[in-house]
Every structure is written in C-alpha cells, then in structure tokens.
Amino acid sequence: MSTLIDFILHIDSHLINIVNTFGNSTYLILFAVIFIETGAVIFPFLPGDSLLFAAAALSANATYGLNIGLFIIIFLAASIGGDSLNFFFGNKFGEIIPRHRILGKFIKEKDLSKARGFFDKYGAMAIFFGRFIPIIRTLIPFVSATSDFPYKRFIKYNLIACISWVAICCGAGYYFGNIPVVKEHFSMVIIGIVGISLIPAIVGYLKTRFASSK
C-alpha cells in the first residue's frame, strides 16, 4: 500500500521513469491501468484522475515526445471499455463476487451498499457523477448491472461521463501541469485533485452519519 501511495503522490516522476524505460509502450501501460481500475472491479484503488492529469502534463512537454491526442483516445477507450466489462461482471457475477472468499476482500459489502445508496439517490445520473469519484466509479457499473439497469441506457450515460472525465482531467493537465508553481508542488496538486474528487463521497458519508445519529 505504501508503494501505491508513493506512486500516486510522485506520479510525475514515476511516469517519467516509465517513459524513459518503455518508450511508446507507455501508452499501452497507461491504457491497462485505467482499464483495470474499473474493468477488473477489484482494483478501485488504482490511480485515475491523477494519472490522466500527469500524463497530459508530460505530453505538453516536448522533451518526452508524447502525444496528447493519443492519450485522449486510449483513456477514452480504457474507461468506456473498462466500465462495460465491469457492467458485464455485475450482470453475470453480481451475487457471487462480494461473497467470494478471496474476491470479497477487495469488494466489500459496505462499499457496495454505499454505491447502491448513491445509485438509488441519483438514478441514471449516478453513472455520470460516479465517474468523477474514486472507488465509487469502479462500483457504479457493477451496481448498475445488479440493479437490472439496461446496458443500452447505461452506455449512453457512460459515454457522456467518460468523455467529460477525460476532457477535464487531460485538459487540466495539458494546460496547467507545466506551470512552474504546479511543477514545483506537483505532489500537493495531486493530493488536491484526490481530495476534491473525494468531497462528494465524504459529504454523503457525513450526511448518512448525521441522519443515523438523529
């Protein structure tokens, strides 16, 4: 876990090492990370927003020879494809995975309950809002499927959500990631990105706690 935290906080340095080591294969590696984050269901802790921001920031620096257009394409394909695979898992194995002896350690029933509450509250819009909230974005496709939400309707909201998510994260990284003050305090910026993305989940948790105490 400490390795993962270090990777997220210093994601710019780690991405530079990946680029220097793997060259053009970097695109494939980052595609896999984003795809697995949602598609594999059991890895909601992998970096999402911060990875897009950092990758876009590197692409804006000619030193690394990375293409922002290609990043946008692979991130769109990874997020949309990952969510669809996640939906498939929820549809086929929705009742099995949380109770599995091993897989259940990664997808806890309490996390699924929170995602179900989020989905019940916002309905179809939860598919859009959930894309911007870590952990929740991994569970929403799964919960949508277990709630008998039709895939044709799911993919419509999912396309809008993924396009918006990639545009915002990559756009912010590309245009602001190489500003000197941002580069000097990149770790703090990443913490800020993670913190902002967690605000809706924290507010929802506090509301629930407050309501239960009353």
Side-chain angles (χ1 to χ4, degrees):
M1 182 59 71
S2 60
T3 302
L4 177 63
I5 293 175
D6 178 76
F7 181 84
I8 294 173
L9 292 182
H10 303 96
I11 196 167
D12 55 330
S13 300
H14 289 295
L15 280 184
I16 290 173
N17 290 335
I18 290 173
V19 172
N20 290 335
T21 303
F22 298 99
N24 288 333
S25 296
T26 298
Y27 296 108
L28 181 61
I29 293 171
L30 299 193
F31 171 89
V33 172
I34 298 301
F35 183 84
I36 292 171
E37 184 208 10
T38 50
V41 189
I42 62 174
F43 295 109
F45 44 80
L46 290 177
D49 316 272
S50 56
L51 181 61
L52 267 64
F53 182 91
L58 287 185
S59 70
N61 190 328
T63 303
Y64 303 107
L66 299 171
N67 188 296
I68 183 61
L70 189 51
F71 268 139
I72 290 173
I73 292 172
I74 67 167
F75 289 146
L76 280 174
S79 56
I80 295 169
D83 284 344
S84 292
L85 179 62
N86 191 320
F87 188 95
F88 170 80
F89 283 142
N91 190 39
K92 296 295 184 182
F93 313 109
E95 299 298 325
I96 300 175
I97 293 179
R99 298 171 185 171
H100 192 274
R101 183 171 58 88
I102 297 176
L103 300 180
K105 295 179 180 180
F106 296 92
I107 300 182
K108 302 184 182 301
E109 190 59 46
K110 64 177 183 179
D111 292 331
L112 281 174
S113 296
K114 291 178 183 177
R116 288 192 187 99
F118 187 80
F119 186 78
D120 291 340
K121 181 176 181 179
Y122 295 103
M125 288 306 296
I127 299 169
F128 178 83
F129 293 132
R131 168 46 61 178
F132 295 87
I133 307 174
I135 298 179
I136 291 292
R137 72 166 149 258
T138 301
L139 299 178
I140 282 295
F142 190 86
V143 169
S144 298
T146 59
S147 301
D148 295 324
F149 197 82
Y151 178 75
K152 287 184 178 180
R153 194 174 176 207
F154 168 82
I155 196 62
K156 290 178 182 179
Y157 286 90
N158 182 245
L159 284 171
I160 297 172
C162 290
I163 291 171
S164 301
W165 182 65
V166 171
I168 292 172
C169 294
C170 286
Y174 189 82
Y175 290 108
F176 302 110
N178 287 293
I179 295 175
V181 66
V182 174
K183 292 180 68 174
E184 292 173 7
H185 302 89
F186 207 88
S187 295
M188 295 303 298
V189 172
I190 295 301
I191 292 174
I193 292 172
V194 174
I196 291 172
S197 63
L198 287 173
I199 288 177
I202 294 172
V203 171
Y205 172 78
L206 293 175
K207 284 183 177 180
T208 303
R209 292 284 294 181
F210 179 75
S212 61
S213 64
K214 291 180 64 177

